[in-house]
Amino acid sequence: MTYNALKAVSLTHVRYQRGDQLGHFLAWVSLVPVFISLGGFVSHFIFRRELQSMFFALGLVISQFINEFIKKSVQQARPETCALLEMCDSHGWPSSHSQYMFFFAVYFTLLTCKGIGGIWNVRTKWAALFLPWSLAVLTMYSRVYLGYHTVAQVLAGASLGILLGGLWFWVVNSMLFCYFPLIEESPFGRFFYVKDTSHISDVLKFEYDNARAARNTMAARKAMASKSS
């Protein structure tokens, strides 16, 4: 009986040389896009349901489709190390990991600098911006160090991610933003409690104050009900 060749799911299939501690660390760094997508955006949709984050995630998805289209059109091979990594059947230019992370870093930076959502105050804003850019650079370096891409391929991915991230931010906040109230009031928005808090200067304080006010109101009602009984 003949068997077809097996192929691993490449989503979390990252290889490094045994005993290489730096390679081990960079292999985990290489999985940051997966953590952001599944741990970040999925959990954010479940618990927050913010329109800005939904369009942020949509832009990343569109960016990845563009990446796959370019890869299939250019069909540039990965470096020779692809044989050890079992990745020779896929194309390498531009790097999707680099494109994803630099798109994320640019969009996150623009959101933060514009004060949209009001999550970061002035004192923590610049500290918050350090993390996505450092992760983007580390992810780009990891793809070269682990042998998945050439330097040219990760630089192309980073450049495309920066371009698409800035362009998508402009599209969302200059052309689509005016439709956010319509989405909020649509059957979809009302069913899933979709909201936009871009107009609130400090979302964390706003939610904290409203939660306390609601609790105090409930306590007052209970006190009045107990007195009347």
Side-chain angles (χ1 to χ4, degrees):
M1 180 180 293
T2 59
Y3 295 94
N4 293 327
L6 299 179
K7 179 176 173 58
V9 176
S10 60
L11 184 64
T12 58
H13 190 68
V14 183
R15 291 188 171 187
Y16 64 97
Q17 291 186 359
R18 186 185 300 274
D20 184 356
Q21 296 300 318
L22 177 59
H24 188 195
F25 169 72
L26 291 176
W28 282 103
V29 171
S30 189
L31 293 175
V32 168
V34 179
F35 299 147
I36 292 175
S37 299
L38 300 182
F41 285 111
V42 172
S43 61
H44 195 281
F45 175 78
I46 294 173
F47 296 108
R48 301 290 305 170
R49 307 183 190 187
E50 291 274 358
L51 279 170
Q52 277 287 351
S53 296
M54 291 182 187
F55 278 93
F56 192 169
L58 177 61
L60 284 166
V61 172
I62 294 173
S63 173
Q64 292 306 294
F65 275 112
I66 293 174
N67 179 275
E68 288 299 319
F69 175 78
I70 295 175
K71 278 184 176 178
K72 291 180 179 179
S73 300
V74 176
Q75 296 186 359
Q76 185 180 103
R78 292 179 183 268
E80 295 179 357
T81 49
C82 66
L84 295 173
L85 302 169
E86 298 180 354
M87 293 289 291
C88 292
D89 58 341
S90 62
H91 307 298
W93 194 95
S95 166
S96 59
H97 283 71
S98 294
Q99 183 174 325
Y100 183 104
M101 288 305 301
F102 277 88
F103 183 110
F104 179 88
V106 166
Y107 201 101
F108 185 88
T109 298
L110 293 173
L111 277 178
T112 305
C113 291
K114 291 288 186 180
I116 296 175
I119 298 176
W120 311 103
N121 57 38
V122 176
R123 290 174 297 178
T124 60
K125 178 183 293 186
W126 301 112
L129 293 178
F130 174 77
L131 182 60
W133 285 102
S134 60
L135 286 175
V137 173
L138 277 173
T139 301
M140 180 174 65
Y141 176 70
S142 74
R143 302 306 287 176
V144 177
Y145 182 90
L146 296 172
Y148 286 90
H149 290 287
T150 64
V151 173
Q153 290 170 352
V154 296
L155 289 177
S159 301
L160 188 57
I162 291 172
L163 174 64
L164 292 176
L167 178 62
W168 183 246
F169 182 86
W170 177 81
V171 169
V172 171
N173 293 282
S174 297
M175 302 176 64
L176 302 180
F177 183 75
C178 60
Y179 297 104
F180 279 15
L182 297 177
I183 299 175
E184 283 184 303
E185 297 301 325
S186 68
F188 169 82
R190 297 177 70 86
F191 181 81
F192 287 103
Y193 302 114
V194 173
K195 63 183 181 298
D196 172 42
T197 58
S198 301
H199 56 285
I200 300 173
S201 59
D202 192 334
V203 176
L204 294 179
K205 187 178 185 303
F206 176 83
E207 293 182 345
Y208 175 75
D209 291 341
N210 277 274
R212 290 186 63 201
R215 183 186 61 197
N216 293 335
T217 301
M218 184 179 298
R221 289 177 180 175
K222 287 183 178 180
M224 292 180 61
S226 61
K227 288 181 180 180
S228 61
S229 59

